């Protein structure tokens, strides 16, 4: 079977074409794939996603490169018959997006080679950003922004981009940015005076069409530097999201957008100070609460005060403070609980001159709460989700004393 003539190789901006259907196959997805004698649809490959569009008005969901049999166009709807003459249309906004990301990648990758001799080892167009994996050994924001600066200058110089074909022997004499991944004649993409690389993708006519290139973030990954970037319309969309986010944060501080980080940092510092202050006040309050609880509790026959109490909305730390303040007094046992939203908490503690295994009591009590807990014979803590059984749990502990 003759393979498909790939019109996108000659013109990346061709969005409408006529062709003949050469083959038709059913897909496992339930849709039908057709092969054409010529196509402007770019199939998934080389890190670039497939084009979408229509064939005779029916949706083309995806195109697949089946090298020997040509390009498969997966059609959602009524597929044309073999031999039919059809009209194909590419979704231009999607193609333009891919042209911008793909050409942007050539430029950014060459910028890393020019400045730092750091080649690109991987490229992916993701849902709303792109990634390149660069052999950059000591990445910093400053180094990466230098490459971004150079890349954008090349974009704004609006350099011409041309496609050439070269034999393997000719190509071997040329300063290609990366090794060809296939044998035979090569398709070379040249950015005037800047970059020359073999590639089968769709590219801009001139670098200006890329618009701009922005790096969102980067990280070290498997010995390489993984750089997340966006070009063209994606860079604008990302700027809009970032601006919306930072303005929303600034509004919370009644500040201008660019002042917000300073104010957020200040508020976090203040928050830490307040936290420390609250903790120290809680210790004072715990001593007062312990005093009141002891005053309201009478001695049992053994001359011990067993203090039981359930608090509202106390975290484990503050419950422990009250328990410690209580058992600082001789002959005292504290069985304390707290309801905190959906969670029940317990702290059991005793002064050293009393007996009873708080750890054993805590384990039994936590079973009733459908939770977990434990500790030492003189101090144990735990909790569970059956808040309504908090009273029963303390009763069960009492019965073990
Ligand atoms: Zn390319």
């Amino acid at each position: 079977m003759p393979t498909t003539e790939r019109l996108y190789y000659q013109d990346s901006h061709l969005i409408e074409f006529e062709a003949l259907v050469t083959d038709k196959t059913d897909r496992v997805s339930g849709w039908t794939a057709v092969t054409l004698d010529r196509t402007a649809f770019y199939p998934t490959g080389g890190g670039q996603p497939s084009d979408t569009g229509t064939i005779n008005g029916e949706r083309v969901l995806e195109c697949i490169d089946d090298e020997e049999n040509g390009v498969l166009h997966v059609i959602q709807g009524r597929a044309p018959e073999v031999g039919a003459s059809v009209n194909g249309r590419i979704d231009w906004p999607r193609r333009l997006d891919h042209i911008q990301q793909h050409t942007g990648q050539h430029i950014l990758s060459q910028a890393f080679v020019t400045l730092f001799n750091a080649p690109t080892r991987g490229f992916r167009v993701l849902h709303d950003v792109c990634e390149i994996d660069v052999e950059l050994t000591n990445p910093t924001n400053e180094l990466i922004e230098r490459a971004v600066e150079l890349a954008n200058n090349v974009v704004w110089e609006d350099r011409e981009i041309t496609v050439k074909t070269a034999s393997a022997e000719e190509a071997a004499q040329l300063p290609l940015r990366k090794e060809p991944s296939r044998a035979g004649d090569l398709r070379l993409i040249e950015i005037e005076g800047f970059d020359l690389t073999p590639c089968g993708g769709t590219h801009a006519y001139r670098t200006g069409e890329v618009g701009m290139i922005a790096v969102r973030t980067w990280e070290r990954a498997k010995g390489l530097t993984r750089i997340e970037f966006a070009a063209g319309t994606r860079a604008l969309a990302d700027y809009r999201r970032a601006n919306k986010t930072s303005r929303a944060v600034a509004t919370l501080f009644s500040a201008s957008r660019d002042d917000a980080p300073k104010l957020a940092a200040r508020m976090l510092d203040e928050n830490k100070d307040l936290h420390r202050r609250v903790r120290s006040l809680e210790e004072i309050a715990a001593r007062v609460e312990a005093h009141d609880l002891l005053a309201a509790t009478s001695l049992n026959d053994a001359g011990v005060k067993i203090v039981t109490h359930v608090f509202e909305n106390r975290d484990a730390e503050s419950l422990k403070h009250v328990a410690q303040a209580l058992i600082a007094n001789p002959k005292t046992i504290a069985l304390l609980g707290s309801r905190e939203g959906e969670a029940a908490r317990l702290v059991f503690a005793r002064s050293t001159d009393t007996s009873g295994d708080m750890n054993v009591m805590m384990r039994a009590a936590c079973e009733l709460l459908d939770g977990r807990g434990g500790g030492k014979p003189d101090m144990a803590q735990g909790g569970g989700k059956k808040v309504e059984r908090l009273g029963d749990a303390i009763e069960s502990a009492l019965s073990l004393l």
Side-chain angles (χ1 to χ4, degrees), residues 48 102-103 105-106 189 197-203:
Q48 183 176 331
H102 194 94
T103 312
Q105 182 259 311
H106 282 234
I189 311 302
T197 198
C199 187
T202 53
H203 305 89

Side-chain angles (χ1 to χ4, degrees), residues 20-136:
L20 290 172
V21 178
T22 54
D23 194 23
K24 186 171 161 177
T25 50
D26 290 333
R27 306 289 298 172
V28 281
S29 59
W31 307 124
T32 309
V34 297
T35 313
L36 307 176
D37 62 343
R38 56 211 293 270
T39 190
F41 280 92
Y42 182 85
T44 309
Q48 183 176 331
S50 162
D51 278 325
T52 56
T54 57
I55 288 178
N56 279 358
E58 303 287 346
R59 286 307 301 167
V60 174
L61 296 174
E62 191 195 358
C63 297
I64 300 159
D65 200 343
D66 184 0
E67 295 221 354
E68 283 173 26
N69 301 311
V71 177
L72 305 180
H73 305 73
V74 181
I75 295 182
Q76 177 188 33
R78 226 167 59 86
E81 297 306 320
V82 174
S85 166
V86 294
N87 168 272
R89 278 192 76 87
I90 313 294
D91 290 331
W92 173 245
R94 183 177 163 92
R95 165 64 71 83
L96 173 64
D97 172 36
H98 294 163
I99 284 176
Q100 288 177 328
Q101 308 320 311
H102 194 94
T103 312
Q105 182 259 311
H106 282 234
I107 298 170
L108 187 59
S109 289
Q110 178 60 57
F112 279 104
V113 172
T114 303
L115 292 176
F116 312 118
N117 199 22
T120 293
R121 297 298 178 209
F123 166 53
R124 287 162 296 278
V125 177
L126 305 175
H127 181 67
D128 48 17
V129 290
C130 308
E131 279 176 359
I132 47 172
D133 299 327
V134 181
E135 272 189 23
L136 187 64

Side-chain angles (χ1 to χ4, degrees), residues 166-306:
S167 67
E169 297 75 48
E170 286 165 336
Q173 306 302 313
L174 295 170
L176 301 185
R177 173 161 52 79
K178 63 174 189 179
E179 292 293 308
S181 56
R182 56 197 299 159
D185 282 358
L186 291 174
R187 183 171 186 261
L188 302 179
I189 311 302
E190 179 166 30
I191 298 174
E192 187 190 353
F194 186 65
D195 183 50
L196 181 65
T197 198
C199 187
T202 53
H203 305 89
Y205 287 162
R206 306 186 68 89
T207 57
E209 202 176 0
V210 174
M212 74 171 289
I213 300 168
V215 164
R216 257 175 69 105
T217 184
W218 57 271
E219 60 176 0
R220 291 164 190 273
K222 294 171 189 160
L224 299 168
T225 301
R226 178 162 294 169
I227 296 170
E228 205 176 285
F229 75 95
T233 56
R234 289 188 183 207
L236 176 60
D238 190 61
Y239 169 77
R240 285 175 172 150
R241 280 196 301 273
N243 193 37
K244 195 176 157 198
T245 304
S246 50
R247 283 172 65 179
V249 172
T251 304
L252 296 176
F253 292 100
S254 307
S256 72
R257 192 194 67 177
D258 297 345
D259 286 339
K262 202 171 63 199
L263 289 172
R266 192 190 297 163
M267 181 179 261
L268 285 174
D269 278 346
E270 283 170 4
N271 199 281
K272 266 184 218 154
D273 288 343
L274 284 174
H275 207 71
R276 276 195 288 270
R277 182 95 183 108
V278 165
R279 280 297 175 212
S280 67
L281 288 173
E282 265 184 358
E283 282 175 34
I284 296 168
R287 286 202 291 274
V288 175
E289 280 181 316
H291 179 267
D292 290 352
L293 286 168
L294 279 171
T297 309
S298 38
L299 291 171
N300 69 6
D301 296 344
V304 174
K305 280 194 175 184
I306 303 176

